[in-house]
Coordinates of all heavy atoms in Angstrom, one line a residue:
Y1236 N 19.0 56.7 -2.4 CA 19.8 55.9 -1.5 C 21.1 56.6 -1.1 O 21.7 56.3 -0.1 CB 20.1 54.5 -2.1 CG 18.9 53.6 -2.1 CD1 19.0 52.3 -2.6 CD2 17.7 54.0 -1.6 CE1 17.9 51.4 -2.7 CE2 16.6 53.1 -1.6 CZ 16.7 51.9 -2.2 OH 15.6 51.0 -2.2
Y1237 N 21.5 57.6 -1.9 CA 22.8 58.3 -1.5 C 22.6 59.2 -0.3 O 23.6 59.6 0.2 CB 23.4 59.1 -2.7 CG 22.6 60.3 -3.1 CD1 23.2 61.6 -2.7 CD2 21.4 60.3 -3.6 CE1 22.5 62.8 -3.0 CE2 20.7 61.5 -3.9 CZ 21.2 62.7 -3.6 OH 20.6 63.9 -3.8
V1238 N 21.4 59.5 0.1 CA 21.2 60.4 1.2 C 20.2 59.9 2.2 O 19.5 60.6 2.9 CB 20.8 61.8 0.8 CG1 22.0 62.7 0.5 CG2 19.8 61.8 -0.3
T1239 N 20.0 58.5 2.3 CA 19.0 58.0 3.2 C 19.1 58.4 4.6 O 18.2 58.9 5.2 CB 19.1 56.4 3.2 OG1 19.4 56.0 1.9 CG2 17.9 55.8 3.7
T1240 N 20.3 58.2 5.2 CA 20.5 58.5 6.6 C 20.4 60.0 6.9 O 19.6 60.4 7.8 CB 21.9 58.0 7.1 OG1 22.0 56.6 6.6 CG2 22.0 58.0 8.6
P1241 N 21.0 60.9 6.1 CA 20.8 62.4 6.5 C 19.3 62.8 6.4 O 18.9 63.6 7.2 CB 21.6 63.1 5.4 CG 22.6 62.1 4.8 CD 22.0 60.7 5.1
I1242 N 18.6 62.2 5.5 CA 17.2 62.6 5.4 C 16.4 62.1 6.6 O 15.7 62.9 7.2 CB 16.5 62.1 4.1 CG1 17.1 62.8 2.8 CG2 15.0 62.2 4.1 CD1 16.6 62.2 1.5
I1243 N 16.6 60.8 6.9 CA 15.8 60.3 8.1 C 16.2 61.1 9.4 O 15.4 61.5 10.2 CB 16.1 58.8 8.3 CG1 15.5 58.0 7.1 CG2 15.6 58.3 9.6 CD1 15.8 56.6 7.1
M1244 N 17.5 61.4 9.5 CA 18.0 62.1 10.8 C 17.4 63.5 10.8 O 17.1 64.0 11.8 CB 19.5 62.0 10.9 CG 20.1 60.6 11.2 SD 19.1 59.6 12.4 CE 19.1 60.7 13.9
K1245 N 17.4 64.1 9.6 CA 16.8 65.5 9.6 C 15.4 65.5 10.0 O 15.0 66.3 10.9 CB 16.9 66.1 8.2 CG 16.2 67.4 8.0 CD 16.2 68.0 6.6 CE 15.2 69.1 6.5 NZ 15.8 70.4 6.1
L1246 N 14.6 64.6 9.5 CA 13.2 64.5 9.8 C 12.9 64.3 11.3 O 12.0 64.8 11.9 CB 12.5 63.5 9.0 CG 12.5 63.7 7.5 CD1 12.0 62.4 6.7 CD2 11.7 64.9 7.1
L1247 N 13.8 63.5 11.9 CA 13.6 63.1 13.3 C 14.2 64.2 14.2 O 13.6 64.7 15.2 CB 14.3 61.8 13.7 CG 13.7 60.6 12.9 CD1 14.5 59.3 13.3 CD2 12.3 60.4 13.2
E1248 N 15.4 64.7 13.9 CA 16.0 65.7 14.8 C 15.3 67.0 14.8 O 15.3 67.7 15.8 CB 17.5 65.9 14.3 CG 18.4 64.8 14.8 CD 19.8 64.8 14.2 OE1 20.0 65.7 13.3 OE2 20.6 63.9 14.5
E1249 N 14.6 67.4 13.7 CA 13.9 68.6 13.7 C 12.5 68.5 14.4 O 11.8 69.5 14.5 CB 13.6 69.1 12.2 CG 15.0 69.5 11.6 CD 14.8 70.2 10.2 OE1 13.7 70.2 9.6 OE2 15.9 70.6 9.7
R1250 N 12.3 67.3 14.9 CA 11.1 67.1 15.7 C 9.8 67.6 15.0 O 9.0 68.4 15.6 CB 11.2 67.7 17.1 CG 12.3 67.0 17.9 CD 12.3 67.5 19.4 NE 12.7 66.5 20.3 CZ 13.9 66.1 20.6 NH1 14.9 66.7 20.0 NH2 14.1 65.2 21.5
L1251 N 9.7 67.2 13.8 CA 8.5 67.7 13.0 C 7.3 67.0 13.6 O 7.4 65.9 14.1 CB 8.7 67.3 11.5 CG 10.0 67.9 10.9 CD1 10.2 67.3 9.5 CD2 9.8 69.4 10.7
P1252 N 6.1 67.6 13.5 CA 4.9 67.1 14.0 C 4.3 66.0 13.0 O 3.3 66.1 12.4 CB 3.9 68.3 14.1 CG 4.4 69.2 13.0 CD 5.9 69.0 12.9
I1253 N 5.1 64.9 12.9 CA 4.7 63.8 12.1 C 4.4 62.6 13.0 O 4.9 62.4 14.1 CB 5.7 63.4 11.0 CG1 7.1 63.1 11.7 CG2 5.9 64.4 10.0 CD1 8.2 62.6 10.8
R1254 N 3.5 61.6 12.5 CA 3.3 60.4 13.3 C 4.4 59.4 13.0 O 4.7 58.6 13.9 CB 1.9 59.8 12.8 CG 1.6 58.4 13.4 CD 0.1 58.1 13.4 NE -0.5 58.3 12.1 CZ -0.5 57.4 11.1 NH1 0.1 56.2 11.3 NH2 -1.1 57.6 10.0
G1255 N 5.0 59.5 11.9 CA 6.1 58.5 11.6 C 6.5 58.6 10.2 O 6.1 59.5 9.4
I1256 N 7.4 57.6 9.8 CA 8.0 57.5 8.5 C 7.9 56.1 8.0 O 8.2 55.2 8.7 CB 9.5 57.9 8.5 CG1 9.7 59.3 9.2 CG2 10.1 57.8 7.1 CD1 11.1 59.7 9.4
V1257 N 7.4 56.0 6.8 CA 7.4 54.7 6.1 C 8.3 54.9 4.8 O 7.9 55.7 4.0 CB 6.0 54.1 5.7 CG1 6.1 52.9 4.8 CG2 5.2 53.8 6.9
C1258 N 9.4 54.2 4.7 CA 10.2 54.5 3.6 C 11.0 53.2 3.1 O 11.3 52.3 3.8 CB 11.2 55.6 3.8 SG 12.4 55.3 5.1
M1259 N 11.2 53.3 1.8 CA 12.1 52.3 1.1 C 13.5 52.8 1.2 O 13.8 54.0 1.0 CB 11.7 52.2 -0.4 CG 12.5 51.3 -1.2 SD 11.8 49.7 -1.3 CE 10.5 50.0 -2.5
L1260 N 14.4 51.9 1.5 CA 15.8 52.2 1.5 C 16.7 50.9 1.3 O 16.1 49.9 1.2 CB 16.2 52.9 2.9 CG 16.1 52.1 4.2 CD1 16.5 53.0 5.3 CD2 14.8 51.5 4.5
Q1261 N 18.0 51.1 1.4 CA 18.9 49.9 1.2 C 18.6 48.9 2.4 O 18.5 49.4 3.5 CB 20.3 50.3 1.3 CG 20.8 51.4 0.4 CD 20.7 52.7 1.1 OE1 19.7 53.1 1.6 NE2 21.8 53.5 1.0

Side-chain angles (χ1 to χ4, degrees):
Y1236 290 179
Y1237 74 106
V1238 275
T1239 319
T1240 312
I1242 292 175
I1243 293 176
M1244 290 321 299
K1245 173 184 166 119
L1246 297 171
L1247 298 179
E1248 283 168 356
E1249 291 187 354
R1250 292 189 148 83
L1251 300 168
I1253 53 174
R1254 172 159 53 84
I1256 304 175
V1257 170
C1258 64
M1259 174 98 74
L1260 70 179
Q1261 307 91 310

